[in-house]
């Protein structure tokens, strides 16, 4: 076991931190789609938007551990956590499914522009009536000759207001459970696909999000990703990437906020000495450090599993749980330790608002716990032994 990054990875992290601080803005400006795309293209030039895409398709060809390191550096250097989240959602929920399940033709068609930062992707599964219960989604895809006709609506779709490509889940066999869903790759501007107004969110404000509507949207059968009925499997695979590498952006953001909190505790004086000298303050900071370090270890362990080709879904679920819970608690602690300054819209308050949604997206923390409990044999149904008693 080795907990150190090699020199090349360490240099890449430093480079990404410098780039993010210099070029990605602090997230305080009002959302401007043109500026968003300008920053996206810059991130593309740095190899960030296609970090885990193979070099043969224009990506950086990084493994999961190195991709996580890059994402952590992005979160550390970029105070606009919404922007970092958007880049990560593009890469892990939309681009990686094309990378892993696309045909050669699909990969050649979509990946170079998605990796280079020229194009932005969105992934849409959630619907008004199907959130945690994603398998019961209502968007229908009916086969008509060489195409499918899609009808339905999606909500909370990250990047949809600016997306060039949509990776969409629809039911080809309604009620078919795990094998009832199919994934489609649909270009923006396809007749029948429209995007609603951008949401105004309390957190991750730099990440544009809207609803997506499908009305008699005709998609060629050649644009099915994987095979008909393989949508849930593709979704599960992308969630392993998301629950691991996307959450690495939060590790970086937590480290940034922790660093500035330590600085504040060293400098702010009350009762004639720095507040960091009071045990209640210093212990709170040590607790923040323990949570961050534990979450980081769990996340990199999950990334190692991805690189080893493990089909374990528990390590990514545990990483997601650990990082998001640590993030929310760290945000609360960072606000508390700044006193009234903490609620005046600075770094700690912004981070707390950005941390809250992390317990919800990529499958809520309650759903992750259900999945882990099931893996522990706590499925809810009484075992035959118990029933016989
Ligand atoms: C910032 C952000 C970005 C997002 N981006 C995308 C995106 O790009 N694409 C996309 O498709 N979706 C996206 N989503 C949607 C996200 O996937 C859903 O919000 C999430 O799956 C939960 O669904 P829901 O909001 O409908 O909550 P619900 O499913 O209605 O859940 C409400 C509450 O009930 C709990 N609950 C539900 N069922 C159970 C159960 N069986 N056991 C225990 N508790 C349960 C939940 O844990 C939660 O606390 C995003 C969400 C957020 C916040």
């Amino acid at each position: 076991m080795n907990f150190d990054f090699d020199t090349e990875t360490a240099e890449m992290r430093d480079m990404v931190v410098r780039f993010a601080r210099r070029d990605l803005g602090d997230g305080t400006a009002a959302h401007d789609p043109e500026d968003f795309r300008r920053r996206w293209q810059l991130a593309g030039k740095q190899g960030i938007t296609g970090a885990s895409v193979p070099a043969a398709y224009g990506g950086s060809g990084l493994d999961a551990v190195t991709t996580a390191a890059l994402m952590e550096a992005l979160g550390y250097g970029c105070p606009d956590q919404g922007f970092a989240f958007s880049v990560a959602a593009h890469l892990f929920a939309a681009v990686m499914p094309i990378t892993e399940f696309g045909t050669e033709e699909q990969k050649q068609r979509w990946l170079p522009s998605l990796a280079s930062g020229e194009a932005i992707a969105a992934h849409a599964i959630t619907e008004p009536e199907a959130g945690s219960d994603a398998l019961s989604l209502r968007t229908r895809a009916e086969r008509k000759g060489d195409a499918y006709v899609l009808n339905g609506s999606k909500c909370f779709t990250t990047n949809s207001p600016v997306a060039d490509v949509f990776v969409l889940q629809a039911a080809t066999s309604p009620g078919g459970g795990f094998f009832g869903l199919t994934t489609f790759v649909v270009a923006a501007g396809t007749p029948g696909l429209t995007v609603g107004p951008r949401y105004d969110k309390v957190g991750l404000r730099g990440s544009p999000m809207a609803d997506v509507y499908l009305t008699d949207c005709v998609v060629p059968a050649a644009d099915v990703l994987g095979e008909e009925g393989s949508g849930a499997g593709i979704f599960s695979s992308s969630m392993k990437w998301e629950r691991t590498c996307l959450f690495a952006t939060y590790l970086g953001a937590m480290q940034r906020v922790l660093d500035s909190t330590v600085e504040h505790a060293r400098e702010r004086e009350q009762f004639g000495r720095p507040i960091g000298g009071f045990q209640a303050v210093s212990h709170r900071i040590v607790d923040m450090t323990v949570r961050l370090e534990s979450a980081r270890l769990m996340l990199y362990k999950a990334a190692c599993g991805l690189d080893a080709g493990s089909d374990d879904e528990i390590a990514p679920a545990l990483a997601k749980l650990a990082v998001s819970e640590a993030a929310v608690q760290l945000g609360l602690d960072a606000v508390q330790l700044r006193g009234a300054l903490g609620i005046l819209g600075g770094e700690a308050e912004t981070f707390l608002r950005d941390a809250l949604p992390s317990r919800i997206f990529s499958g809520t923390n309650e759903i992750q716990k259900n999945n882990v409990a099931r893996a522990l044999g706590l499925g809810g149904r009484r075992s035959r032994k118990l029933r016989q008693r």
Side-chain angles (χ1 to χ4, degrees):
M1 236 180 244
N2 179 2
F3 293 97
D4 295 323
F5 286 116
D6 58 28
T7 315
E8 207 181 330
T9 307
E11 282 174 4
M12 178 209 67
R13 283 169 45 134
D14 292 347
M15 185 272 290
V16 171
V17 170
R18 275 198 306 276
F19 157 73
R21 280 183 178 150
R22 190 185 61 228
D23 291 328
L24 293 184
D26 63 3
T28 54
H31 180 72
D32 169 6
E34 275 178 30
D35 185 59
F36 184 87
R37 193 169 282 273
R38 182 190 64 78
R39 289 182 290 145
W40 193 281
Q41 286 166 346
L42 289 175
K45 286 199 177 102
Q46 298 293 323
I48 296 171
T49 52
S52 46
V53 174
Y57 301 102
S60 304
L62 304 181
D63 61 16
V65 168
T66 318
T67 300
L70 183 151
M71 289 292 146
E72 185 176 354
L74 179 66
Y76 187 73
C78 178
D80 184 353
Q81 175 66 12
F83 183 83
F85 171 75
S86 266
V87 168
H90 147 97
L91 181 55
F92 304 119
V95 179
M96 285 314 289
I98 300 176
T99 303
E100 293 188 323
F101 299 97
T103 60
E104 191 53 33
E105 188 276 325
Q106 288 170 331
K107 290 195 266 193
Q108 296 284 359
R109 180 155 42 124
W110 300 113
L111 293 180
S113 60
L114 289 168
S116 70
E118 281 162 62
I120 299 174
H123 169 259
I125 184 166
T126 309
E127 300 182 357
E129 306 302 328
S132 299
D133 188 9
L135 291 186
S136 67
L137 57 78
R138 294 180 182 181
T139 295
R140 282 294 317 266
E142 281 181 276
R143 181 92 194 218
K144 295 254 169 83
D146 282 348
Y148 288 82
V149 182
L150 272 58
N151 278 292
S153 64
K154 301 288 176 185
C155 57
F156 310 129
T157 312
T158 296
N159 293 343
S160 56
V162 290
D164 304 289
V165 183
F166 291 83
V167 173
L168 293 160
Q169 297 281 0
T172 32
S173 307
F178 192 85
F179 298 105
L181 304 192
T182 299
T183 310
F184 297 85
V185 186
V186 185
T190 300
L193 186 156
T194 50
V195 177
R198 189 174 156 266
Y199 294 120
D200 192 12
K201 312 195 291 305
V202 297
L204 298 174
R205 293 172 64 83
S207 171
M209 173 198 266
D211 296 340
V212 177
Y213 306 104
L214 298 153
T215 312
D216 293 331
C217 179
V218 178
V219 180
D223 293 342
V224 165
L225 197 59
E227 288 165 12
E228 183 176 312
S230 67
I234 292 175
F235 176 62
S236 300
S237 178
S238 70
M239 282 302 107
K240 283 198 282 178
W241 277 97
E242 195 169 293
R243 288 171 194 150
T244 307
C245 292
L246 182 149
F247 280 83
T249 63
Y250 276 94
L251 294 179
M254 277 192 264
Q255 186 67 61
R256 171 166 43 78
V257 176
L258 178 61
D259 289 353
S260 64
T261 305
V262 170
E263 209 176 297
H264 177 78
R266 283 193 190 129
E267 283 173 8
R268 170 70 174 162
E269 291 192 7
Q270 287 294 280
F271 301 98
R273 57 176 165 142
I275 59 168
F278 300 116
Q279 198 177 62
V281 170
S282 62
H283 281 196
R284 191 188 284 266
I285 290 175
V286 173
D287 287 342
M288 292 161 85
T289 309
V290 170
R291 280 189 212 99
L292 169 55
E293 284 296 325
S294 325
R296 183 179 274 134
L297 288 173
M298 290 170 81
L299 187 138
Y300 280 100
K301 183 181 175 215
C304 283
L306 276 180
D307 283 333
S310 159
D311 58 3
D312 172 24
E313 293 189 3
I314 300 310
L318 292 176
K320 194 264 172 179
L321 276 168
V323 175
S324 57
E325 293 297 343
V328 171
Q329 191 56 52
L330 190 140
L332 287 168
D333 289 335
V335 166
Q336 185 69 17
L337 290 174
R338 282 161 172 79
L341 283 180
I343 55 155
L344 292 183
E347 187 177 41
E349 184 256 355
T350 306
F351 177 72
L352 177 58
R353 286 190 286 99
D354 290 340
L356 287 174
S358 72
R359 297 202 290 203
I360 297 170
F361 58 69
S362 305
T364 68
N365 284 9
E366 291 77 14
I367 295 299
Q368 302 313 309
K369 286 182 185 174
N370 288 352
N371 293 343
V372 176
R374 205 171 301 120
L376 293 172
L378 304 167
R381 291 226 174 115
R382 300 177 75 196
S383 70
R384 187 180 290 172
K385 237 184 196 169
L386 282 172
R387 271 184 269 139
Q388 282 171 348
R389 267 193 209 152

